[in-house]
C-alpha cells in the first residue's frame, strides 16, 4: 500500500547526537530551515546572512515582516561583529552569556546580516544560547543563526520537538528538520533588554523572560526602565519589541486568570496546593505542586498545550494566581497575553 505523504513526514526528526548536530548544521549552511533546542524554547533557525533563508522563516511562521528576528551567535566576540556594545551592555553580556538574555544594541554598519532580520531597524537583537546543542550547531554551521521561537506566529512557543513537528499547531511539513534535544530546561523565551539611548539613559526591559529581573538589576546596579502594560493591538511598527502585542502566545482555549478554583466545565491550571474543586475539573494540570517558579516556567507552555488538547474548541482554562517575582513575572506576562482578547 502506497503511503500518503503526510505534511509532517516532509520534516525530518533528527536526534541531537554528534551525527545529528552535524547533519543539522549542514542543512542550515545550505540555506534550509532547521528547528533546534535552546535552553529557553525551540528556535526556528536559518543562516542570518541569507535573504532567502530569512524570508523562509517569515513564510513558515506567517510572521509579519515588521517583526525583527533575534540572531544567535557563539560568543560575545561574534556578537560584536554585528552589534555595537557599550560598556554597560558588554558587562551584562559577560555576566549572563551564554544564557537566556537577548541584547538589543545598535546594528553595526555594513554587517553581513540579511536586511529582513532587523525589519528596517537600526538595532539588532543578539543572544548566545546556553544549550550545548545550540552552541555546537552554531559553531558547526559557521554562520550567525536567525531564530524566532519555532511556532506559527501568535501561538504558544514550543518546548519539545513534538510541538514543532505537529502539522496543525506547529510547523510540521513547512521546515526541513527538527533537531530533537529533549524538553527545554527554562521553558520561557529569553529576557530582552535594550541599551539606553544617550549617556545617562538607563537600560530598558523589552520582554520579561527566562532571566529574572532581580538578577539583571543586581548585575546592572540599577533599576531597569519597565515596559508599560501590554500594548493593545497597535500597529506593530509602533512597538519597541514588535512581537509584544497584547494578544500573543495564545492557546485556542480562553484563560481566566488568578482564579481561586475552577468553575464547573472549566479546565484547571494550578500552582502550589490545588483547591478541592480541581478534582472535578474536566482536565487539570499543576505547574508546580511545590510552588517553585522555575519548575512552573519549565512546565507552562506544555501544560497550556495539553489542556488545550483536552478541552477541544471553545473551552476555558482557569489559572491559579502566580507570584509576581523571579520567573513568575514572565509567567504572568505570557498568561496575560494568552488571555488577551483576540483580534
Ligand atoms: O528565547 C528566545 O528568545 C527564543 C529562542 C529561540 O532564542 N527566541 C524568541 O524569538 O523568542 P521571537 O522571535 O519569538 O521573539 C523575539 C522578540 C520579538 O518580540 C521581537 O520583536 C523582538 O524579540 N526583537 C528582535 N529584534 C529586535 C530589535 N532589534 N528591537 C526590538 N525588538 C526586537
Ligand atoms: Mg515567539
Amino acid at each position: 500500500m502506497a503511503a500518503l505523504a503526510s505534511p509532517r513526514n516532509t520534516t525530518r526528526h533528527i536526534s541531537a547526537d554528534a551525527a545529528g548536530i552535524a547533519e543539522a548544521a549542514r542543512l542550515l549552511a545550505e540555506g534550509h530551515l532547521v528547528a533546534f533546542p535552546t535552553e529557553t524554547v525551540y528556535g526556528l533557525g536559518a543562516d542570518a546572512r541569507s535573504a532567502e533563508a530569512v524570508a523562509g522563516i517569515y513564510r513558515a511562521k506567517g510572521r509579519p515582516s515588521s517583526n525583527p528576528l533575534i540572531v544567535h551567535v557563539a560568543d560575545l566576540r561574534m556578537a560584536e561583529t554585528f552589534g555595537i556594545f557599550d560598556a554597560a551592555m558588554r558587562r551584562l553580556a559577560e555576566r549572563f552569556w551564554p544564557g537566556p538574555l537577548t541584547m538589543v544594541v545598535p546594528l553595526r554598519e555594513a554587517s553581513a546580516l540579511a536586511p529582513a532580520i532587523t525589519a528596517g531597524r537600526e538595532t539588532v537583537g543578539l543572544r548566545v544560547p546556553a544549550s550545548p546543542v545550540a552552541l555546537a550547531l552554531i559553531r558547526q554551521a559557521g554562520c550567525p543563526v536567525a531564530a524566532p521561537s519555532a511556532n506559527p506566529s501568535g501561538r504558544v512557543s514550543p518546548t519539545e520537538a513534538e510541538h514543532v513537528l505537529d502539522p496543525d499547531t506547529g510547523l510540521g511539513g513547512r521546515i526541513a528538520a527538527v533537531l530533537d534535544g529533549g524538553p527545554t530546561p527554562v521553558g520561557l523565551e529569553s529576557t530582552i533588554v535594550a541599551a539606553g539611548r544617550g549617556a545617562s539613559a538607563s537600560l530598558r526591559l523589552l520582554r520579561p523572560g527566562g532571566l529574572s529581573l532581580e538578577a539583571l538589576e543586581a548585575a546592572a546596579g540599577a533599576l531597569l526602565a519597565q515596559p508599560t502594560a501590554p500594548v493593545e493591538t497597535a500597529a506593530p511598527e509602533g512597538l519597541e519589541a514588535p512581537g509584544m502585542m497584547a494578544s500573543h502566545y495564545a492557546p485556542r482555549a480562553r484563560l481566566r486568570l488568578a482564579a481561586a478554583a475552577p468553575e464547573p466545565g472549566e479546565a484547571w491550571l494550578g500552582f502550589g496546593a490545588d483547591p478541592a474543586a480541581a478534582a472535578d475539573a474536566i482536565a487539570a494540570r499543576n505547574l508546580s505542586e511545590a510552588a517553585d517558579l522555575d519548575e512552573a516556567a519549565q512546565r507552562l507552555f506544555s501544560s497550556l498545550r495539553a489542556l488545550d488538547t483536552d478541552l477541544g474548541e471553545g473551552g476555558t482554562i482557569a489559572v491559579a494566581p502566580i507570584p509576581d517575582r523571579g520567573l513568575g513575572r514572565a509567567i504572568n506576562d505570557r498568561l496575560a497575553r494568552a488571555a488577551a482578547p483576540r483580534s
Side-chain angles (χ1 to χ4, degrees), residues 11-332:
T11 296
R12 291 174 57 194
H13 188 174
I14 301 176
S15 61
D17 51 21
I21 293 171
E23 175 65 3
R26 188 186 64 78
L27 289 169
L28 270 182
E30 285 177 358
H32 296 289
L33 303 183
V34 178
F36 64 97
T38 77
E39 76 280 26
T40 59
V41 300
Y42 275 75
L44 176 58
D47 180 347
R49 302 164 308 183
S50 161
E52 215 175 310
V54 169
I57 288 183
Y58 285 94
R59 244 189 342 263
K61 281 182 61 90
R63 182 177 177 106
S65 59
S66 55
N67 193 359
L69 302 177
I70 298 173
V71 177
H72 296 66
V73 291
D75 51 34
L76 176 56
R77 228 176 60 152
M78 188 172 171
E80 290 194 284
T81 64
F82 303 112
I84 300 167
F85 287 70
D86 64 17
M89 291 298 264
R90 190 172 300 120
R91 258 200 318 277
L92 286 183
E94 282 166 350
R95 170 76 180 77
F96 293 113
W97 278 355
L101 176 66
T102 294
M103 312 196 79
V104 171
V105 296
L107 178 67
R108 214 172 262 294
E109 262 180 64
S111 95
L113 300 176
I117 292 278
T118 57
R121 287 157 194 267
E122 289 170 356
T123 56
V124 60
L126 291 156
R127 176 161 112 80
V128 179
S131 151
V133 171
L135 283 174
L137 180 70
I138 295 165
R139 290 217 173 87
Q140 290 182 36
C143 61
V145 177
S149 52
N151 50 279
S153 190
R155 294 289 158 185
V156 177
S157 293
T159 56
E160 296 174 24
E162 284 299 327
H163 301 162
V164 183
L165 282 164
D166 192 299
D168 300 319
T169 60
L171 299 172
R174 288 193 248 167
I175 62 177
V178 180
L179 186 59
D180 189 344
T184 56
V186 175
L188 293 172
E189 305 85 350
S190 61
T191 299
I192 307 181
V193 294
R197 299 196 190 99
S200 62
S202 57
L203 299 173
R204 284 159 307 133
L205 178 71
L206 301 191
R207 176 175 76 181
L211 178 65
S212 76
L213 187 63
E214 289 90 336
L216 254 177
E217 290 186 332
L223 299 181
L224 270 66
Q226 301 282 320
T228 44
V231 193
E232 277 303 335
T233 45
E237 296 75 27
L239 301 181
E240 181 151 22
M244 299 307 280
M245 289 164 281
S247 172
H248 211 75
Y249 306 102
R252 280 176 306 176
R254 295 184 178 288
L255 263 64
R256 187 166 68 82
L257 303 183
E263 301 287 344
E266 287 181 337
W268 174 248
L269 184 57
F271 178 81
D274 278 328
D280 304 322
I282 65 173
R285 297 258 159 166
N286 193 298
L287 291 174
S288 171
E289 288 87 354
D292 177 305
L293 289 166
D294 294 350
E295 180 176 54
Q298 203 280 324
R299 292 184 182 169
L300 177 67
F301 291 151
S302 57
S303 302
L304 286 174
R305 277 171 194 275
L307 291 176
D308 223 15
T309 305
D310 293 346
L311 268 176
E313 274 325 308
T316 297
I317 304 170
V319 187
I322 313 287
D324 212 31
R325 60 180 150 73
L327 295 200
R329 188 187 292 267
I331 294 173
N332 284 325

